[in-house]
Every structure is written in structure tokens, then in C-alpha cells.
Amino acid sequence: IKPIFDLPALDGIPVKRPTVSITDDDVSKQIVRMREMSGELVPVADGAVEIDDMVIADLKITVGDKIVLQKENEPLYARPRNVVGVTIEKLGDLLKGARSGDTRTTEATLPDDFEQQDLRGQTAAFEFKVNDIKRLKLPPLDDAALKDMGFDSEKEYRDFVRTRDAADPGSPHVL
């Protein structure tokens, strides 16, 4: 069902376009964000987890002695994240510095809409055993990559990003 109505006259209604200031830092962040979309997750052989790394971990959630959930090789990013309906704001800090084989534990309250009604509102222990660490490797921003994108120089590319973002500040590609 579609409503039927007449639109009022819109002529003469002033529309003020917002002034947008795009800084060099904004352009740099946008370029990194675009490169991240083409990045590759590569294994971290002997290193430790850094913020934003992907961690492959065994997850165990318990309330008291009761195991609520157990998953193996669950992919998680080391940053604030929702784990089975529970937001763990400090997940990145918790996992930072962990190495493959390390276990990290935190507690959080299960939400009022948790799947198992008898556990709603209770404090649960979240245990993460790190099995693997992967880090995002950005593609190079070299002459070959710039040429593939149709640009002759990094300055030309940066100018394009600045102009595009200033022209359409409401667009999802703008920071």
C-alpha cells in the first residue's frame, strides 16, 4: 500500500550546504582505510597479538561450573567486539601481548536477552585460548599500484581523495 498525497511546493526553501574541511590527516586515514579493503591477513609466526589483529581462538564461556558455550578456532579481532551477544569493550587490551598457546580470561554480564533465560543477568567467564594470530598486511602504495588505479603520482591520488570527500561529506567513504 502506497500513500497518496501531494507534496507542498519546495521552491524557495533555503538549503545550507555544510562546510567540510578535509585535512591531510583525514586524507591519509581514508587512504589507509581503502588499502585495508585490499589487504591480506598473514600469519604472525613468533609474535604477539597487537590491537586489530585477527586471533583464532578456542572460546569457552562459563557461569560458575556450568559451561555455557564452547567453540574451537573462533575468529576474533583484537578490538571491542560482541561475543555471543555480550559486548567485550576491552577485548583488544585483553588479547594484546598474547602469543599462540596463551589463554586470557575476562568476565562480563550476560544480557537480558541472552539465549538461555536462566543465565540472563549473570556474570560469565570468557576464556580465550589463542591458537593463531593473523595481521593485516596492506598492499603497497607504489607507482605500479597508483598506475593501476589511474593516477600518475601519490599527490594526484591524495588530491582526488580530498576532492571526492569534500564534495560528498555524507558519503560512506568519508571518515
Side-chain angles (χ1 to χ4, degrees):
I1 299 175
K2 293 182 181 180
I4 299 172
F5 58 91
D6 293 324
L7 287 175
L10 301 175
D11 295 341
I13 297 175
V15 176
K16 191 171 185 178
R17 185 178 198 96
T19 304
V20 177
S21 174
I22 306 291
T23 67
D24 288 342
D25 190 48
D26 293 333
V27 171
S28 294
K29 286 178 183 175
Q30 184 64 19
I31 288 172
V32 167
R33 205 165 112 191
M34 291 186 295
R35 290 174 63 209
E36 285 174 341
M37 289 187 276
S38 299
E40 174 187 3
L41 287 169
V42 295
V44 176
D46 293 320
V49 175
E50 295 178 6
I51 298 294
D52 289 331
D53 280 351
M54 175 186 270
V55 175
I56 309 299
D58 294 341
L59 168 65
K60 183 165 84 172
I61 303 172
T62 56
V63 174
D65 292 334
K66 181 179 181 179
I67 296 174
V68 176
L69 179 75
Q70 225 170 340
K71 288 185 174 184
E72 291 184 355
N73 296 316
E74 184 73 9
L76 306 162
Y77 281 93
R79 57 180 171 231
R81 178 183 159 95
N82 187 306
V83 179
V84 297
V86 179
T87 301
I88 302 180
E89 288 292 333
K90 305 250 182 208
L91 185 60
D93 295 331
L94 177 72
L95 295 172
K96 185 178 178 182
R99 296 180 175 279
S100 187
D102 289 353
T103 299
R104 300 290 172 92
T105 305
T106 190
E107 290 187 342
T109 303
L110 299 176
D112 293 336
D113 61 351
F114 190 70
E115 183 178 299
Q116 298 176 37
Q117 292 180 6
D118 60 320
L119 299 177
R120 292 176 179 176
Q122 293 193 39
T123 300
F126 288 72
E127 180 181 289
F128 304 91
K129 180 183 173 279
V130 177
N131 296 327
D132 195 13
I133 305 165
K134 297 182 183 212
R135 188 161 297 139
L136 187 64
K137 179 182 175 189
L138 298 180
L141 187 60
D142 54 17
D143 289 342
L146 291 165
K147 292 243 185 277
D148 284 348
M149 292 186 287
F151 299 99
D152 293 326
S153 67
E154 186 174 344
K155 181 187 181 319
E156 183 183 357
Y157 179 49
R158 293 179 67 80
D159 290 344
F160 167 78
V161 170
R162 180 185 309 277
T163 302
R164 181 196 65 190
D165 290 358
D168 192 5
S171 174
H173 56 71
V174 180
L175 294 175

